[in-house]
Amino acid sequence: EDQVTQSPEALRLQEGESSSLNCSYTVSGLRGLFWYRQDPGKGPEFLFTLYSAGEEKEKERLKATLTKKESFLHITAPKPEDSATYLCAVLDYGQNFVFGPGTRLSVLP
Amino acid sequence: DAGVTQSPTHLIKTRGQQVTLRCSPKSGHDTVSWYQQALGQGPQFIFQYYEEEERQRGNFPDRFSGHQFPNYSSELNVNALLLGDSALYLCASSSHPPAGNTGELFFGEGSRLTVL
C-alpha cells in the first residue's frame, strides 16, 4: 500500500527566512510525485509534477526536488502570501493517487 | 473557462440522513474523482468515474456511492450519515488517464458537510 508522510507538520517562518518541506513516500512503482498548495477553505491548487529521481522544478520562490525515497519543497525568501498548507501526493502505475497529510506553513511579516 | 464547480458549498445534516453532492468538471475533462478531507488531514480518495462508470475505489464503505452523467458531471451520495462523515468533500477533474499527461488534478472548492 502506498504511503506518504510529510514533515514538519507545521512550520512558522519569518518573511525572508528560507526553509524546506519534506515528503517521504513508499510506492509500488512511482508514476509521478505532485505538490499542491491549499489555502484555508479552498481546494488544492496544483504546483509541480516530478517524474524521476534528480528532477527539479521551479516556480517563483518554490523549487521542488525528487530522490528515490523523498521529495523536498524549498522555499526561498518566503513572503506572507506563501502561507498555506502544502500537500504532497504520489501516483503509482495502478492509477492510485495518494496524498500526504500536508505541512501548514505560516510566514510572518 | 469555468473551472471545477461544486454544490452546495456548505450543508448541515443529522445522523442517519442522506446527502447528495454535485460536481461539474473543468471544460475538456472527462474524469472525475471524489476526495474526503477531514480537518487537518490530507484528502482521502473515495472513488473515480470515467465513461459513467466507477473505475477505482478507495477504502470507503458502500454508504458512499456515486454517478457520472453523459455531460461528465458527477454526484456523490452518502447514506446513513455518521458524525465521522463531517468533512470537506472535494471533486477533482482531469482528462483520462486519471491525472492526464501532467499529473495535474483540478480541484473544486469543496462542499463542507457537517453532521450533527
Side-chain angles (χ1 to χ4, degrees):
Chain A
E1 184 178 321
D2 299 345
Q3 290 191 338
V4 180
T5 58
Q6 292 187 244
S7 62
E9 184 176 319
L11 180 64
R12 298 182 73 175
L13 300 174
Q14 289 296 134
E15 183 172 2
E17 179 186 1
S18 302
S19 188
S20 295
L21 313 182
N22 175 266
C23 169
S24 297
Y25 62 91
T26 53
V27 62
S28 56
L30 180 71
R31 182 176 164 193
L33 183 139
F34 314 96
W35 283 97
Y36 285 80
R37 168 191 171 128
Q38 186 174 26
D39 293 305
K42 305 286 187 181
E45 177 186 352
F46 172 78
L47 292 173
F48 303 110
T49 306
L50 301 166
Y51 293 107
S52 57
E55 189 175 0
E56 298 183 351
K57 293 277 181 72
E58 284 190 68
K59 180 179 180 180
E60 295 180 358
R61 295 177 292 282
L62 301 176
K63 183 169 81 171
T65 62
L66 181 64
T67 72
K68 288 187 177 180
K69 293 186 177 181
E70 57 192 352
S71 175
F72 293 93
L73 184 65
H74 307 277
I75 303 176
T76 301
K79 298 182 178 181
E81 53 261 42
D82 294 323
S83 297
T85 295
Y86 290 86
L87 296 164
C88 168
V90 296
L91 178 67
D92 65 23
Y93 281 96
Q95 306 298 344
N96 296 300
F97 206 98
V98 178
F99 278 88
T103 293
R104 293 191 312 278
L105 174 66
S106 299
V107 182
L108 307 176
Chain B
D1 179 24
V4 179
T5 58
Q6 292 188 242
S7 64
T9 55
H10 296 83
L11 67 167
I12 300 173
K13 294 285 187 177
T14 56
R15 282 179 297 174
Q17 284 190 312
Q18 179 263 344
V19 67
T20 297
L21 308 179
R22 296 175 177 82
C23 171
S24 291
K26 179 179 168 64
S27 178
H29 285 178
D30 56 9
T31 302
V32 172
S33 302
W34 286 92
Y35 290 81
Q36 180 194 66
Q37 187 175 27
L39 204 59
Q41 297 183 20
Q44 300 288 316
F45 175 71
I46 302 175
F47 44 53
Q48 177 198 98
Y49 277 84
Y50 170 66
E51 290 187 329
E52 302 179 49
E53 290 189 14
E54 183 182 296
R55 299 292 177 167
Q56 275 195 294
R57 189 178 183 92
N59 189 24
F60 279 80
D62 292 346
R63 298 187 297 109
F64 290 77
S65 63
H67 189 77
Q68 186 179 35
F69 299 93
N71 66 352
Y72 309 121
S73 66
S74 177
E75 287 182 350
L76 164 64
N77 301 291
V78 187
N79 294 322
L81 285 168
L82 304 173
L83 296 180
D85 294 332
S86 295
L88 181 67
Y89 287 85
L90 294 163
C91 171
S93 77
S94 63
S95 52
H96 195 74
N101 293 325
T102 66
E104 181 176 359
L105 295 178
F106 288 81
F107 284 87
E109 298 207 337
S111 293
R112 171 72 63 186
L113 172 65
T114 302
V115 182
L116 302 176

